[in-house]
Amino acid sequence: MKLLVTGGAGFIGGNFIHDTLERYPEDIVVCVDKLTYAGNMETLFPIYDNENFHFEKADIADAPAIKAIFEKHKPDVVINFAAESHVDRSIEDPGIFLTTNILGTQVLLDASREFGVKRYHQVSTDEVYGDLPLDRPDLLFTEETPIHTSSPYSASKAGADLLCQAYSRTYKMPLTISRCSNNYGPYHFPEKLIPLMLINAMQDKPLPVYGKGENVRDWLYVVDHCRAIDLIVRNGTPGEVYNIGGHNERTNIDVVKTILRQLGKSESLINYVTDRPGHDMRYGIDPAKINKELGWLPETKFEDGLHLTIEWYKNNESWWQNVLDGEYQNYYDKMYGDR
Ligand code: NAD
Ligand code: TYD
């Protein structure tokens, strides 16, 4: 099988490519990535010499470039991970989120139609459902929960999902969508909660917790997410949406304290800062459908996954130091300087 994977120089796409080439040595993977601030070729170094791996630098919103890549590689399957993915950046500057996440998806859908790909898979997020109240732990997002977005990021992801569903119905495209909760693991860009906190803690820097730290996220180890996508792409039913989640809801402050405990660092590093505007209170996913239809279950317990993640960041300091040395430092100073 020949898979065209967009956004593979990023966190989840990178983990997905590593896992796919290891588990399916006969498959061919073509990675298409624009290499934005979040794309990192170092994430792909471990597989760069694999003869079944190809890399194409391109913007998914650039229709002629994408068409040329489809013409050259003729993929069987397209999996779209490429996105602007950070909520805080979307609040600062929404435009690029619409261009990449919505128009980029449209370009990929059109090329997939034109070249008759056998399966298009859209990697979406639980954030398209909005948020849940803290005092109703019984409520969870199902695939039937109405779309109800909060941030420019989630609105752009929802726009892409709706477009996918329109292409599925109108053009009968063989297409699936997955909506996953928050991931963590190796190669996670340090602007997101878990890598930001553990890198700051390792350097004895303050840990900026938004508001009171009581917002809840449902954390899933990235490899478990990759395995779920793999199952959907190979065995899922075209036209369907699948929720993916770890039944692992935690408050942010609980996550931060667990990181500090595992690193043996003091809670005095915690620094409560101004809250994020429009901050979603709680995400909670019901993954019953993917479990029942495809037999998927998360395999990694949070404490174990966090331990693996911390070990990876300890052993791969050059990966994150290179990120911190670049343009990211300006972002950090701007976002946290006088927060
Ligand atoms: P990321 O920001 O780490 O990586 C995104 C990748 O996409 C980068 O390599 C970047 O260079 C590339 N990219 C961005 N714009 C592009 C463009 N116009 N053309 C080509 N490449 C482009 O993101 P991630 O955390 O790996 O997320 C991957 C996908 O999973 C996204 O679609 C995101 O919405 C979704 N998702 C993420 C999470 C999470 O917890 N991180 C949870 C659920 C869903
Ligand atoms: P994040 O990793 O940005 O993911 P998302 O907003 O997509 O869920 O944030 C996870 C949670 O952590 C969210 O409630 C915001 C909070 N947070 C902080 O408290 N401090 C930080 O520095 C960051 C980046 C996030």
Side-chain angles (χ1 to χ4, degrees), residues 46-92:
I47 39 111
Y48 212 77
D49 291 334
N50 185 321
E51 58 183 23
N52 284 348
F53 177 72
H54 305 276
F55 183 81
E56 300 281 359
K57 183 175 184 307
D59 182 341
I60 58 165
D62 178 346
I66 293 300
K67 187 171 172 181
I69 290 170
F70 274 64
E71 236 151 27
K72 178 174 165 194
H73 292 285
K74 301 190 174 48
D76 303 305
V77 167
V78 173
I79 307 177
N80 182 24
F81 290 90
E84 287 293 335
S85 69
H86 192 37
V87 173
D88 292 326
R89 287 187 192 251
S90 82
I91 294 168
E92 292 294 302

Side-chain angles (χ1 to χ4, degrees), residues 94-113:
I96 186 67
F97 284 73
L98 274 61
T99 306
T100 287
N101 299 1
I102 303 179
L103 297 180
T105 297
Q106 179 230 324
V107 166
L108 291 172
L109 287 167
D110 285 340
S112 299
R113 255 188 87 209

Side-chain angles (χ1 to χ4, degrees), residues 238-251:
E240 292 295 311
V241 174
Y242 294 90
N243 281 355
I244 307 169
H247 275 309
N248 178 43
E249 290 184 39
R250 304 196 175 229
T251 60

Side-chain angles (χ1 to χ4, degrees), residues 182-251:
N182 290 60
N183 286 212
Y184 66 99
Y187 302 109
H188 203 179
F189 194 83
E191 67 189 351
K192 305 283 170 60
L193 180 78
I194 289 186
L196 186 147
M197 295 298 166
L198 76 86
I199 286 174
N200 278 17
M202 287 197 294
Q203 301 180 111
D204 294 307
K205 288 189 178 157
L207 310 190
V209 173
Y210 298 167
K212 295 184 188 143
E214 60 191 4
N215 305 65
V216 171
R217 298 292 183 264
D218 180 355
W219 293 98
L220 182 71
Y221 190 61
V222 63
V223 177
D224 283 328
H225 183 189
C226 295
R227 298 284 165 87
I229 291 173
D230 178 63
L231 273 176
I232 296 168
V233 167
R234 287 166 203 269
N235 304 327
T237 309
E240 292 295 311
V241 174
Y242 294 90
N243 281 355
I244 307 169
H247 275 309
N248 178 43
E249 290 184 39
R250 304 196 175 229
T251 60

Side-chain angles (χ1 to χ4, degrees), residues 106-126:
Q106 179 230 324
V107 166
L108 291 172
L109 287 167
D110 285 340
S112 299
R113 255 188 87 209
E114 184 180 342
F115 288 86
V117 303
K118 297 189 191 78
R119 174 63 64 90
Y120 176 94
H121 183 73
Q122 178 72 4
V123 180
S124 185
T125 166
D126 62 353

